[in-house]
Amino acid sequence: MKLLMLAPVLFLTAGCNHVVPVKQTWPEVPAEVAAPCANLKKLPEDTEKLSEVISNVAGNYSEYHKCQIKQQSWAEWYKLQKEIFEKINK
Amino acid sequence: MFLLHLLPDSFLLFIVNTVLILGISLTIIAFFIPSFNPIIQKYKLLAQIVGVLILSLGIYWKGGYSVEMDWREKVRVMEEQIKNLKVEVDQANGKVKTVVVTKIQKVVDKQVEIQKVIEEKEKIIDAECKVPKEAIQILNTAAENPGNAPAQDLGDKK
């Protein structure tokens, strides 16, 4: 009868299967890609020279091009990381 | 089997196999081997019950152990894959970073050239044109991002 008291202890060792999940962390995006795009530059209110206007517009075009590069790089980075992630999870 | 993680694998296997072999032995002895010893004959039923219980337990533990080892192997293989793919992740990051830095540098270089040209041609550009204030206001309003900042008043429209 005393031995029967061991039975619950024995069943404890045969409990639910405990599976340790494998943790896969999503990689950090490079800072150059994650940096936010700058705001467009404004002109001083008292601007009269056309050259200053052209300079401002050219500068803003440049900011747009940088932003476009970042956005395209972000999409490329995400696509690459997704392909790598899916390799493991096939 | 959460307690399995506390014990070394070899010891665990030893215990499981011992219980299984013990269960098999006791069951065979109790059921199939006739005993001429009256003492053993007296406890034959008990031995049969205990033998069956131990055998059941041994089989259950053996199954559980095999499943546990299978899962551990799967986890090990997956961890190995993740470790190998980390190299690919770092390479992808490096590639994207290099491309971004190179392209942005080209944009900056071009901007510098354009500014030089504007400075050279400043007098020609400004000779016959005076920009009205309204044009500046319109440009500044267009430069604002309506998603980020409140819109500026354009003033009287002509």
Side-chain angles (χ1 to χ4, degrees):
Chain A
M1 282 303 291
K2 285 182 186 176
L3 287 174
L4 281 174
M5 289 167 67
L6 285 173
V9 176
L10 292 172
F11 275 108
L12 270 176
T13 61
C16 302
N17 273 331
H18 181 73
V19 179
V20 177
V22 177
K23 196 178 174 187
Q24 185 186 1
T25 51
W26 187 254
E28 287 294 323
V29 64
E32 291 82 357
V33 176
C37 296
N39 288 329
L40 296 174
K41 291 176 192 139
K42 292 186 184 180
L43 286 157
E45 293 284 340
D46 57 353
T47 303
E48 290 180 340
K49 293 184 180 178
L50 184 59
S51 59
E52 287 174 13
V53 172
I54 293 172
S55 179
N56 174 269
V57 170
N60 283 339
Y61 284 174
S62 174
E63 288 304 324
Y64 167 76
H65 291 146
K66 287 179 196 171
C67 195
Q68 188 182 37
I69 289 165
K70 282 180 198 171
Q71 190 275 330
Q72 286 168 349
S73 299
W74 174 271
E76 180 64 26
W77 177 85
Y78 179 79
K79 185 184 150 202
L80 285 171
Q81 297 302 340
K82 190 165 175 272
E83 281 169 10
I84 293 168
F85 183 83
E86 283 171 356
K87 268 188 200 175
I88 299 173
N89 294 294
K90 272 185 192 172
Chain B
M1 292 202 185
F2 64 93
L3 285 178
L4 295 181
H5 292 284
L6 304 175
L7 301 168
D9 292 351
S10 53
F11 179 71
L12 215 55
L13 187 62
F14 172 74
I15 297 290
V16 168
N17 286 341
T18 303
V19 170
L20 187 62
I21 291 166
L22 187 68
I24 291 169
S25 308
L26 198 55
T27 305
I28 291 170
I29 290 166
F31 278 94
F32 300 110
I33 297 176
S35 175
F36 301 103
N37 190 320
I39 298 167
I40 294 172
Q41 199 66 20
K42 187 179 171 184
Y43 294 103
K44 188 180 171 184
L45 181 63
L46 182 63
Q48 285 174 345
I49 293 168
V50 169
V52 166
L53 286 174
I54 293 174
L55 179 62
S56 306
L57 189 67
I59 291 168
Y60 187 77
W61 279 3
K62 187 72 179 175
Y65 178 83
S66 301
V67 167
E68 175 72 16
M69 290 302 124
D70 278 346
W71 276 112
R72 285 191 193 181
E73 181 60 23
K74 282 179 187 173
V75 165
R76 191 194 64 79
V77 165
M78 191 162 270
E79 281 174 349
E80 192 69 33
Q81 280 180 330
I82 289 170
K83 196 177 158 188
N84 292 339
L85 285 173
K86 195 185 177 306
V87 173
E88 282 190 48
V89 164
D90 291 340
Q91 282 175 351
N93 273 6
K95 182 183 159 188
V96 167
K97 192 175 164 180
T98 305
V99 166
V100 166
V101 167
T102 306
K103 285 185 179 179
I104 286 179
Q105 188 56 47
K106 284 183 183 173
V107 169
V108 169
D109 292 342
K110 187 180 172 185
Q111 173 64 9
V112 167
E113 279 174 33
I114 288 171
Q115 290 299 332
K116 279 183 189 168
V117 171
I118 291 171
E119 280 169 21
E120 284 168 12
K121 310 282 180 190
E122 189 181 343
K123 287 185 180 172
I124 301 167
I125 295 167
D126 295 333
E128 295 180 30
C129 183
K130 185 182 170 186
V131 180
K133 281 186 184 175
E134 286 79 6
I136 304 301
Q137 283 175 354
I138 292 168
L139 272 174
N140 283 346
T141 303
E144 283 173 3
N145 185 338
N148 287 348
Q152 212 173 28
D153 196 7
L154 282 171
D156 295 331
K157 289 183 185 178
K158 289 185 183 175

